[in-house]
């Protein structure tokens, strides 16, 4: 089992690390390590808490430490640039710093590597936060999980990946959470529609894949989708199929409604769809020898109601949808390797954005769902309300400035009008 990064809530950690006799301190550390290892492993955790480079003479110099851990792809020469920032509003300026897209109409490609592992026989939890501060109109906010053989400097949309997970937004139609899983080198999207959050604030996205082929998708530590992998992805043929030897009885009535046999067409129903425009006059320059006999134009008849059809009524003989008998599908073979990946080793952002400004933070790859939930509460959970409060304050201040600006404009307009009026009166004198 891989060692986990120990992370306890601040108050608990302070009490645990209070001064103790040497022997008790050693024993406590030993017991904590056993307890935490039993909980699970943290394979990757990134919060960008080491800032951006050295500051000397008021100028930031050198390479930021996060840039040593994250590799920009060079597959294209015009990829968009990331910057480390908490954005325009936040709950904690340092804790909320993350990777922000900074250029409009750009592809982005960046990744970070960790020690390879396999999730065989254990859960796989992928979690991170994303904030579309710019009120994104079209662009991705998802992450990808790659195998260890990924060439990070050549990463692109064509690179083989294991998992793609997270929000994708484009216009009013596409506001969904992708969950795309690799099975035998073929990519399968989830069949369920999962709506993402689009309010401009930071949100926590979590994917849990379990060894019993159950899964969960959580947003802000609340389950928004769960089920069985085989049911919600088309990895395998269906377990049961319609019996091809059985056909629906000919007398089976599955029409819920029928035409009312007592309904009759009104006598005044049949009118022409178009009528002659009697107000039209033949143009004076009309040449019948060249243009033929002039015909007045046609107008849409306002009384035309289309083809008459009898009204619909409930079918008294309706038997419901015929239940086609099912049989076992001989082509179905269960596969325990679904969602099992060897050499998981890279997490990356490979996406396109029309309007930049999205911030990615608090990346976590672990096998411990409980720890992921705690980590989410300690990061996103601690800053979500202060972030919203700061944003609301900014909105109110902006409204105040706008009103003050309008008052200044009105005063200037009023002064200008009075000046013009005085000038006009002097000229009359």
């Amino acid at each position: 089992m891989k060692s986990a990064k120990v992370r306890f809530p601040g108050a608990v950690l302070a009490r645990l690390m209070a001064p103790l006799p040497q022997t008790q301190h050693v024993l406590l550390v030993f017991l904590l390590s056993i307890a935490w290892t039993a909980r699970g492993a943290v394979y990757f955790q990134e919060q960008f808490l080491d800032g951006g480079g050295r500051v000397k003479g008021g100028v930031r110099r050198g390479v930021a430490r996060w840039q040593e851990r994250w590799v920009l792809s060079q597959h294209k020469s015009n990829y968009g640039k990331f910057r480390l920032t908490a954005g325009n509003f936040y709950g904690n300026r340092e804790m909320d710093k993350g990777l922000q897209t900074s250029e409009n109409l750009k592809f982005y490609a960046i990744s970070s590597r960790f020690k390879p592992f396999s999730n065989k026989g254990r859960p796989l939890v992928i979690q991170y936060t994303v904030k579309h501060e710019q009120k994104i109109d079209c662009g991705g906010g998802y992450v990808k999980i790659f195998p260890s053989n990924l060439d990070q400097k050549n990463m692109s949309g064509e690179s083989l990946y294991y998992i793609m997970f997270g929000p994708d937004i484009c216009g009013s139609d596409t506001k969904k959470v992708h969950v795309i899983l690799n099975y035998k080198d073929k990519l399968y999207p989830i069949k369920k529609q999962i709506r993402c959050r689009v309010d401009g604030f930071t949100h926590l996205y979590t994917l849990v894949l379990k060894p019993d082929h159950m899964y969960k998708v959580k947003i802000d530590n609340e389950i928004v989708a769960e089920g069985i992998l085989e049911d919600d992805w088309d990895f395998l043929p269906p377990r049961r199929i319609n019996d091809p030897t059985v056909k629906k009885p000919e007398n089976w009535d599955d029409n819920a409604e029928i035409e009312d046999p007592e309904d009759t067409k009104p006598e005044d129903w049949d009118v022409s769809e178009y009528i002659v425009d009697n107000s039209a006059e033949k143009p004076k320059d009309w040449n019948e020898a060249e243009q033929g006999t002039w015909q007045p134009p046609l107008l849409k008849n306002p009384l035309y109601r289309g083809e008459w059809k009898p009204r619909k009524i409930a079918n008294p003989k309706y038997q419901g949808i015929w239940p086609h008998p099912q049989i076992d599908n001989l082509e179905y073979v269960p596969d325990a390797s679904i969602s099992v990946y060897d050499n998981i080793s890279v997490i990356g952002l490979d996406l396109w954005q029309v309007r930049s400004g999205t911030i990615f933070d608090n990346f976590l790859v672990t096998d411990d769902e409980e720890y992921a939930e705690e980590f989410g509460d300690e990061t996103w959970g601690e800053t979500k309300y202060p972030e919203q409060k700061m944003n609301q304050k900014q909105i109110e201040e902006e409204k105040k400035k706008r009103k003050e600006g309008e008052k200044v404009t009105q005063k200037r307009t009023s002064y200008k009008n009075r000046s013009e009026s005085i000038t006009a009166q002097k000229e009359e004198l």
Side-chain angles (χ1 to χ4, degrees), residues 29-94:
V29 172
F30 174 70
L31 293 174
L32 287 175
S33 65
I34 292 176
W36 192 255
T37 302
R39 284 193 59 182
V42 174
Y43 304 106
F44 180 81
Q45 184 170 304
E46 175 66 88
Q47 296 173 264
F48 305 101
L49 298 179
D50 51 5
R54 297 176 291 106
V55 178
K56 186 176 181 179
V59 179
R60 193 171 297 280
R61 305 176 185 275
V63 177
R65 290 183 180 179
W66 70 266
Q67 292 176 323
E68 298 173 353
R69 298 188 299 271
W70 290 78
V71 177
L72 288 166
S73 175
Q74 299 174 10
H75 182 76
K76 292 182 179 180
S77 60
N78 59 343
Y79 277 126
K81 296 178 181 179
F82 288 94
R83 61 188 172 196
L84 190 66
T85 178
N88 295 325
F89 53 90
Y90 41 80
N92 183 299
R93 186 169 185 172
E94 295 303 318

Side-chain angles (χ1 to χ4, degrees), residues 264-330:
T264 57
K265 181 170 65 174
E267 295 181 358
D268 62 346
W269 186 275
D270 289 325
V271 295
S272 300
E273 183 176 358
Y274 295 94
I275 57 176
V276 175
D277 184 1
N278 294 319
S279 64
E281 297 181 357
K282 183 173 71 174
K284 295 180 180 181
D285 59 349
W286 187 270
N287 189 330
E288 292 194 356
E290 295 181 0
Q291 298 174 275
T293 303
W294 179 79
Q295 298 290 339
L298 298 178
L299 299 174
K300 190 77 174 180
N301 188 350
L303 301 178
Y304 179 70
R305 290 175 284 179
E307 179 184 358
W308 181 83
K309 294 181 180 179
R311 64 172 172 264
K312 295 282 188 177
I313 61 172
N315 182 3
K317 298 181 179 180
Y318 177 61
Q319 296 173 270
I321 299 175
W322 180 65
H324 200 134
Q326 298 270 300
I327 60 172
D328 290 336
N329 184 2
L330 298 179

Side-chain angles (χ1 to χ4, degrees), residues 3 5 30 32 41 52 65 110 191 253 329 331 346 359 365 376:
S3 61
K5 294 182 180 178
F30 174 70
L32 287 175
R65 290 183 180 179
I110 193 170
K191 292 186 288 185
D253 195 338
N329 184 2
E331 296 182 1
V346 179
I359 299 175
V365 181

